[in-house]
């Protein structure tokens, strides 16, 4: 832009006017201040001409009135400073622009951070005020964009908040309290639905739906069917206020006002914030986004716009709504007739209704229907609570008595319950009185146990003894008491507490705590039914008992009763068994039990003659030697117990399978009984790396094994059992195999015999006395059959020859049933199903040196045939032998 092209009007609108609105602050960008086009770099001559032209225009504006004078004075003073310092150059303008941009960016960033920290919404006026300090319009656009990215909404129009409560709504606060609701609209829409969410900004919507007249009618019909009480009166009062506001489309104003009242404590806190106030509104059900806008509007509200002090008319309405009819009548007399409107008619209507209720109550009293009278007086007092005469007449009417009084005795207390009074009004309280031997004659005739508005009271300190009577009296509005209703007599006979029992070899000692008012304590011992004569109020010692016998004791407490008698409690039972001193556990062994799961350890021991065995696990060996006598407290301080139910192993031994943690542990068997303990043996076990890839191959009466050795292991222990041996049984044999011998022999060979066996191979770690084995690898190997030889023999003359199969063995064995089959041709059969059966050998016992010969009957054939002998696989036990022989035939 050159001097000739300088558009003064455009410059005034684009630069001067915004600067005036920005409190006469010149643009920080010198290019903008001097009307240069930021998209083009002017020549030195054009730059000088433009600067002179703009400065002259400032001088002209200064003479045109007061509107521009403050700004132009600032502009001309700054221009002179730049001129005198020689900084009216393009280079300096560029330098200042860069510096200003950097500073503006830093200030903009800080401003955004401050505004984002204030909450999810910010007022447009606040944004404009902050932007003004950053340079004006362009800064405001940048600020809005940065806030949008930070998810902060700029609210251009705050909510129009009401300055006071809508007419007639001042008394709703008490009604809401009676109904248990936070907002009056919940009386129509439902408290749960309102709390679930509602909106206000575009009209009241509860659960996404507007309120309808049908909803009001439904609530009114439901209220009309209710009995008259405090809740019905409160609901009627709320509906009377809500209905006209709904019809006039002003229900939102009431909801807004009640919301403002609810959040006021949070809004008036020092250093409060939009999120804090919004949270209060959200808790009441207001939509989360709207709650933020609402909170911002509340906090931005101008001073002086708060609730105005109600005038006399409003005060009369508040008194009328609050049930202070007489005070409303007195204040109404001071209100000018022109200002009162229909208020006198409304007050007179309430007064007539109260008078009618009072007259009706008097008629019901005369007719003997006092509860109907109380219902009418309650309704009258609700609207004229400040009428002392009505309140006094109501207090004079006692409610009906309660029924079904019951008293339940517990260990330390008595619980009294009853069926509430059939009073037709609310506000009934109950008082429980305790007496002995007779029912109470009045609400103060005895010991007052407690008062409640419910139907249950607990007597925490009843006197011990029998014939306790509990009576219940009803009271309404602090007035007359009803007749009493009493529960059947009960006996409170508390037992002894804090019972402790201890037994040694031949005696039992017991202790307890008895109440100070106990007359005596008796103890009976079973099974002989003997009375313990040494029993006192604090315990007994029973001596001369048989070890190993369980004794049962019943402790009963006696309390004084009327006439000097003593009544006795049901009693507390416990048992104890005298025991011989515990003997140490004689042996303890530990071995892995992989068949019960990974990392499981099997512990086996022989029970001692006396005492209970306790196994404890620790990371270190115990300091006591086997046989050392200990206390149970000393044992409890060592390691941790191994829990579980022990089973029975062969030879009366006991077996317990427990978890086996990684690393090295020590397990000790203790024997405890009679308050004493004895330390037993300790085994050390280490969960070492197991052998892998265990393989077995039977070679007649022997089994050859191979496996992969784990790193660092040079010794394994091999154990084997008959295949049908019980878990926990001692192994049939056990051998150790060293790595060198394994390598020299190419494996390990076990003389297991011909029977089926179960083999376990476990790595061994540690030295003598500290040896431990790892989780064993196991394998089952089937048994080998006993060799039985057979041959076919022909006997007799050529034309009378017979064929026999002859069987022999070198080891006694049960011979299963055999079958001989014939097949044509010269190829012998390999299986019994490859030929025709021509003979059978019955099952029998085969002994060495006593061969068995059985005749077979080959079928006539024209060509050659072959005979074979096989075990009949269909018979049980057929796999116990191995047939070896030569096929027969021609």
């Amino acid at each position: 832009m050159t001097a000739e092209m300088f558009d003064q009007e455009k410059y005034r609108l684009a630069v001067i006017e915004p600067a005036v609105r920005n409190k006469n602050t010149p643009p920080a960008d010198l290019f903008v201040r001097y009307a240069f086009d930021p998209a083009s770099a002017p020549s030195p001559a054009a730059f000088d001409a433009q600067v002179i032209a703009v400065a002259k225009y400032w001088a002209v504006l200064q003479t045109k009135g007061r509107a521009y004078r403050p700004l132009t004075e600032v502009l001309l003073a700054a221009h002179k400073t730049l001129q005198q310092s020689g900084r009216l150059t393009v280079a300096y303008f560029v330098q200042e622009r860069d510096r200003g941009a950097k500073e503006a960016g830093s200030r903009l960033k800080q401003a955004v951070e401050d505004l984002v920290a204030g909450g999810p919404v910010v007022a447009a006026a606040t944004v404009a005020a902050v932007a003004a300090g950053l340079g004006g319009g362009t800064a405001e656009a940048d600020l809005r964009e940065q806030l949008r990215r930070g998810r902060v909404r700029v609210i251009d129009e705050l909510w129009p908040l009401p300055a006071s409560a809508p007419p007639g709504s001042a008394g709703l606060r008490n009604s809401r309290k009676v109904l248990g609701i936070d907002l009056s609209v919940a009386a129509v829409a439902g408290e749960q639905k309102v709390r679930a969410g509602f909106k206000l900004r575009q009209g009241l919507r509860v659960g996404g739906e507007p309120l309808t007249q049908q909803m009001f009618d439904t609530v009114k019909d439901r209220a009309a069917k209710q009995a008259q009480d405090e809740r019905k009166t409160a609901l009627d009062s709320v509906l009377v206020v809500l209905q006209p506001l709904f019809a006039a489309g002003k229900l939102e104003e009431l909801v807004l006002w009640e919301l403002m009242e609810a959040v006021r404590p949070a809004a008036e806190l020092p250093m409060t914030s939009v999120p804090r106030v919004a949270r209060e509104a959200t808790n009441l059900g207001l939509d989360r986004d709207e709650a933020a806008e609402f909170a911002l509007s509340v906090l931005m509200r101008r001073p002086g716009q708060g609730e105005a002090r109600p005038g006399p008319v409003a005060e009369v309405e508040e008194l009328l709504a609050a049930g202070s009819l007489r005070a409303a009548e007195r204040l109404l007399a001071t209100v000018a007739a022109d200002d009162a409107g229909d208020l006198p008619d409304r007050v007179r209507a309430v007064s007539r209704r109260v008078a009618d209720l009072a007259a009706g109550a008097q008629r019901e009293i005369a007719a003997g229907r006092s509860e109907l009278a109380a219902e009418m007086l309650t309704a009258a007092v609700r609207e004229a609570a400040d009428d002392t005469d009505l309140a006094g007449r109501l207090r004079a009417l006692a409610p009906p008595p309660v029924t079904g009084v019951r008293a339940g005795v517990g260990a330390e207390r008595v619980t009294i319950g009853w069926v509430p009074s059939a009073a037709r009004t609310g506000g009934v309280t109950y008082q429980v009185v305790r007496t002995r031997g007779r029912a109470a004659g009045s609400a103060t005739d005895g010991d007052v146990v407690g008062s409640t508005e419910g139907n249950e009271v607990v007597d925490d300190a009843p006197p011990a003894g029998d014939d306790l009577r509990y009576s219940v009296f009803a009271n309404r509005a602090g007035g007359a008491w009803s007749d009493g209703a009493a529960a059947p007599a009960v006996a409170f006979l508390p037992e002894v507490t804090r019972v402790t029992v201890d037994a040694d070899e031949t005696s039992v000692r017991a202790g307890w705590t008895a109440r100070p008012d106990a007359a005596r304590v008796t103890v009976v011992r079973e099974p002989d039914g003997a009375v313990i004569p040494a029993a006192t109020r604090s315990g007994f010692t029973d001596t001369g008992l048989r070890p190993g016998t369980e004794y049962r004791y019943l402790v009963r407490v006696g309390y004084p009763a009327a006439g000097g008698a003593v009544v006795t409690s049901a009693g507390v039972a416990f048992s104890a068994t005298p025991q011989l001193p515990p003997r140490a556990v004689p042996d303890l062994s530990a071995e892995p039990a992989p068949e019960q799961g990974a990392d499981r350890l099997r512990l086996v021991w022989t029970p001692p003659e006396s005492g209970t065995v306790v196994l404890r696990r620790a990371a270190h060996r115990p300091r006591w030697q086997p046989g050392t006598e200990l206390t149970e407290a000393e044992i409890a301080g060592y390691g941790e117990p191994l829990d579980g139910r022990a089973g029975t192993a062969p030879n009366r031994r006991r077996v317990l399978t427990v978890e086996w943690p990684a690393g090295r542990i020590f397990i000790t068997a203790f024997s405890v009984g009679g308050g004493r303990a004895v330390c037993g043996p300790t085994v050390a076990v280490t969960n070492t790396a197991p052998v892998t890839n265990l393989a077995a191959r039977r070679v007649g009466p022997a089994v050859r094994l191979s496996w992969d050795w784990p790193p660092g292991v040079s010794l394994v222990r091999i154990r084997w059992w008959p295949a049908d041996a019980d878990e926990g049984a001692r192994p049939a044999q056990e051998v150790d195999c060293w790595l060198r011998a394994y390598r020299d022999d190419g494996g390990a060979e076990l003389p297991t015999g011909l029977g089926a066996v179960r083999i376990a191979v476990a790595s061994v770690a540690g030295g003598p006395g500290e040896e431990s084995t790892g989780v064993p690898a196991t394998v089952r190997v089937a048994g080998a059959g006993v060799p039985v030889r057979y041959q076919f023999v022909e006997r007799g003359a050529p034309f009378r020859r017979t064929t026999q199969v002859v069987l022999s063995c070198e080891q006694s064995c049960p011979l299963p049933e055999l079958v001989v089959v014939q097949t044509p041709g010269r190829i012998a059969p390999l299986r019994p199903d490859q030929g025709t059966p021509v003979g059978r050998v019955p099952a029998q016992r085969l002994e060495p040196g006593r061969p068995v010969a059985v005749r077979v009957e080959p079928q006539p054939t024209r060509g050659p045939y072959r005979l074979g002998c096989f075990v009949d696989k269909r018979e049980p036990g057929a796999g116990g032998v191995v047939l070896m022989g030569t096929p027969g035939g021609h």
Side-chain angles (χ1 to χ4, degrees):
M1 180 182 292
T2 65
E4 289 78 8
M5 298 174 60
F6 174 46
D7 188 335
Q8 296 179 351
E9 184 61 20
K10 182 178 180 181
Y11 175 76
R12 184 181 67 83
L13 296 175
V15 178
I16 298 298
E17 294 293 345
V20 171
R21 290 193 297 271
N22 192 18
K23 300 180 180 179
N24 298 309
T25 304
D29 190 340
L30 295 176
F31 284 102
V32 175
R33 186 184 300 183
Y34 285 90
F36 286 107
D37 184 355
S40 62
S43 64
F47 177 82
D48 293 340
Q50 178 79 2
V51 168
I52 294 172
V54 172
K56 287 182 178 180
Y57 179 62
W58 295 342
V60 172
L61 285 178
Q62 190 175 21
T63 63
K64 288 190 173 182
R66 298 180 178 179
Y68 302 115
R69 183 174 299 169
L71 175 62
T72 54
E73 288 178 351
V74 174
L75 288 170
L76 290 171
H79 174 74
K80 186 174 182 180
T81 300
L82 292 173
Q83 188 177 39
Q84 292 175 347
S85 60
R87 288 181 289 180
L88 283 175
T89 63
V90 175
Y92 179 76
F93 278 26
V94 171
Q95 176 184 339
E96 282 297 294
R97 169 177 283 183
D98 293 343
R99 185 186 61 79
K102 184 176 182 180
E103 290 182 358
S106 177
R107 294 198 306 271
L108 177 64
K109 180 180 179 182
Q110 185 61 51
V112 170
E113 291 177 355
D114 293 342
L115 292 175
V116 169
V121 293
V122 62
T126 301
V127 174
V130 173
L134 299 175
T138 304
E140 182 173 351
D142 293 341
L143 186 57
R144 282 178 174 262
E145 175 60 22
Q146 292 294 328
L147 291 173
R148 184 189 66 79
R149 294 178 182 176
R151 297 186 178 181
V152 175
R153 291 184 292 126
V154 178
I155 308 302
D156 293 308
E157 183 179 355
L158 296 177
W159 286 30
L161 301 177
S164 60
S169 64
L172 289 180
R173 182 179 303 170
N174 290 335
S175 298
R176 293 201 309 270
K177 288 183 179 179
V178 173
L179 296 175
I181 58 178
D182 295 308
L183 302 175
S184 299
V185 70
V188 178
E191 176 73 1
Q192 186 174 2
K193 194 172 181 181
V194 169
R195 281 189 173 273
F198 67 91
K199 292 186 176 183
L200 273 177
R201 192 66 160 134
Q202 304 299 326
L204 180 61
R205 295 288 189 277
V206 181
E209 300 293 333
L211 269 65
T212 63
Q213 184 60 49
Q214 183 179 1
M215 296 171 66
F216 276 86
D217 295 340
T218 300
V219 175
K220 288 179 180 178
D221 293 342
R222 187 166 60 244
K225 298 175 183 178
Q226 296 176 359
Q228 188 67 45
D229 57 11
E230 289 84 350
R231 288 186 58 83
K232 182 178 185 304
T233 301
L235 180 58
D236 291 341
S237 300
V238 172
L239 293 177
V240 167
V241 176
L242 294 188
Q243 182 64 68
L245 292 175
F246 172 75
K250 295 183 177 181
L251 194 54
E252 290 81 359
E253 294 184 15
L254 175 62
V255 178
L256 266 176
W257 177 256
E258 291 180 345
L259 276 175
M260 290 170 57
E261 290 293 294
V263 304
R264 179 178 294 175
E268 293 177 350
L269 288 174
M271 303 298 291
T272 192
S273 63
V274 168
R276 178 180 295 178
V277 178
R279 185 164 54 248
E280 298 295 326
T282 304
N283 292 339
L284 296 175
L286 184 60
D287 176 78
R288 187 177 299 276
D289 290 337
E290 289 196 358
E293 297 183 16
F294 167 74
L296 179 66
S297 301
V298 170
L299 294 177
M300 293 289 292
R301 189 172 188 176
R302 294 193 307 272
Q305 206 176 8
E307 179 181 4
R309 178 179 177 83
V313 172
E315 289 188 28
V316 172
E317 290 183 341
E318 288 186 10
L319 290 170
L320 196 63
S324 299
L325 173 63
R326 302 314 177 199
E329 290 174 334
R330 290 192 296 270
L331 184 59
L332 180 62
T334 66
V335 178
D338 294 340
D339 298 333
D342 64 344
L343 190 55
D345 295 335
R346 289 161 52 196
V347 171
R348 282 191 292 271
V350 175
S351 181
R352 284 194 300 271
R353 186 161 58 247
V354 169
D356 292 342
L357 287 170
Q362 192 62 36
R363 290 192 296 270
E364 296 298 336
I365 292 174
R369 295 186 289 268
S370 60
E371 200 55 30
L372 289 175
E375 186 176 14
M376 292 182 178
L377 287 173
T378 299
V381 169
R382 193 176 294 117
E383 297 195 76
D386 54 346
D387 190 322
T388 57
D389 178 63
L390 290 174
R393 292 167 62 184
L394 177 61
R395 286 193 298 271
L397 297 176
V402 304
T403 58
V405 183
R406 60 198 182 279
V409 180
E412 297 290 339
R413 59 178 60 184
V414 177
T415 302
I416 305 95
W418 58 88
V419 177
S421 166
R424 298 171 65 97
T425 64
V428 176
T429 58
Y430 305 95
Q431 183 160 294
V432 179
V433 177
R434 181 186 65 229
T435 53
R436 187 186 287 269
R438 60 175 179 81
S442 67
T444 58
D445 180 20
D447 298 322
V448 177
V449 175
S451 300
T452 180
E453 294 181 356
N455 65 332
E456 184 177 283
V457 163
V458 174
D459 187 358
D460 288 319
D466 63 351
D467 203 18
L468 298 181
R469 300 296 300 272
Y470 290 90
S471 303
V472 183
F473 299 86
N475 171 277
R476 175 170 44 212
W481 290 99
S482 70
D483 293 336
V490 295
F492 178 63
L493 305 171
E495 308 288 357
V496 295
T497 58
R498 302 176 182 175
V499 178
T500 60
V501 183
D502 186 24
D504 55 21
E505 299 177 29
T506 60
S507 64
V508 172
R509 295 174 299 278
W512 54 70
T513 299
R515 286 173 56 112
D517 52 354
R520 68 187 181 203
V521 177
T522 59
V523 181
V524 177
R525 180 186 66 207
E526 295 293 344
D528 52 10
V531 177
I532 306 301
T536 67
R537 290 169 49 86
S538 59
F540 72 87
T541 299
D542 192 11
T543 59
L545 305 178
R546 294 189 301 273
T549 301
E550 181 184 31
Y551 293 90
R552 298 180 298 277
Y553 299 89
L554 180 65
V555 181
R556 305 177 69 184
V557 185
Y559 295 96
V566 176
V567 290
T568 307
S569 67
V572 174
F574 57 86
S575 62
T577 303
Q579 295 180 343
L580 293 172
R583 298 289 188 267
V585 177
D587 58 69
L588 175 66
S589 64
E591 62 181 25
E595 70 281 354
Q596 305 226 0
D599 297 335
R600 302 289 290 178
L601 186 68
R602 182 184 296 110
L603 303 171
V604 184
W605 68 93
T606 301
E609 296 178 1
S610 61
T612 302
V613 177
V614 175
L615 301 178
R616 297 188 73 88
R617 177 181 68 195
H620 56 87
R621 186 178 293 277
R623 66 179 184 273
W624 313 289
Q625 295 297 321
T628 303
E629 293 192 4
L630 310 168
T631 65
E632 294 189 24
E634 287 179 298
I635 293 177
Y638 173 71
E640 59 182 359
L642 294 178
D643 297 327
R645 185 174 182 179
T648 303
N651 299 325
R652 289 184 58 252
R653 306 187 83 205
R654 305 291 285 173
V655 59
L656 176 65
T657 303
V658 297
E659 293 184 1
W660 190 6
R664 187 171 180 81
I665 60 172
F666 296 84
I667 299 175
T668 303
F670 297 94
S671 181
V672 299
R676 290 178 285 181
V678 178
C679 181
T682 298
V683 293
V685 291
T686 304
N687 199 343
T688 59
V691 302
T692 55
N693 295 327
L694 175 64
R697 179 171 61 89
R698 177 168 285 285
V699 183
V703 174
R704 290 198 63 82
L705 299 175
S706 64
W707 61 83
D708 292 341
W709 289 75
V713 173
S714 58
L715 175 66
V716 300
R717 182 155 296 145
I718 307 173
R719 299 177 178 181
W720 65 92
W721 300 260
D724 57 355
D726 294 332
E727 298 292 344
R730 298 182 185 274
Q733 290 195 50
E734 175 182 300
V735 297
D736 287 347
C737 179
W738 292 90
L739 176 60
R740 175 175 293 182
Y742 177 88
R743 289 175 176 173
D744 292 344
D745 297 340
E749 185 171 300
L750 308 179
T752 62
L754 297 173
V757 293
R758 173 168 54 89
I759 302 172
V761 181
S763 55
V764 179
E770 297 292 336
E771 189 178 83
S772 61
T773 58
V775 178
T778 60
V779 63
R780 290 179 180 269
V781 183
V786 177
V788 175
R789 296 186 178 277
Y790 70 90
Q791 62 178 339
F792 291 94
V793 179
E794 293 186 350
R795 302 182 185 277
F799 296 102
R800 289 188 175 180
R801 290 191 176 187
T802 61
T803 302
Q804 291 181 324
V805 58
V806 181
L807 301 105
S808 62
C809 66
E810 296 180 357
Q811 180 181 340
S812 177
C813 67
L815 182 69
E817 185 174 350
L818 307 180
V819 61
V820 178
V821 299
Q822 175 183 341
T823 182
R826 297 188 181 277
I827 299 178
L830 300 178
R831 301 189 308 271
D833 59 354
Q834 289 182 336
T836 303
V838 294
R840 287 189 176 275
V841 179
Q844 55 193 290
R845 188 79 183 176
L846 191 61
E847 300 292 342
R850 297 174 59 183
V852 173
V854 178
R855 182 177 176 176
V856 297
E857 305 250 359
Q859 296 179 353
T861 61
R862 293 184 178 180
Y865 67 88
R866 304 294 284 174
L867 297 175
C869 184
F870 303 96
V871 175
D872 190 346
K873 298 298 184 182
R874 295 171 297 176
E875 297 299 326
V881 299
V882 178
L883 292 176
M884 303 166 55
T886 304
H890 293 286

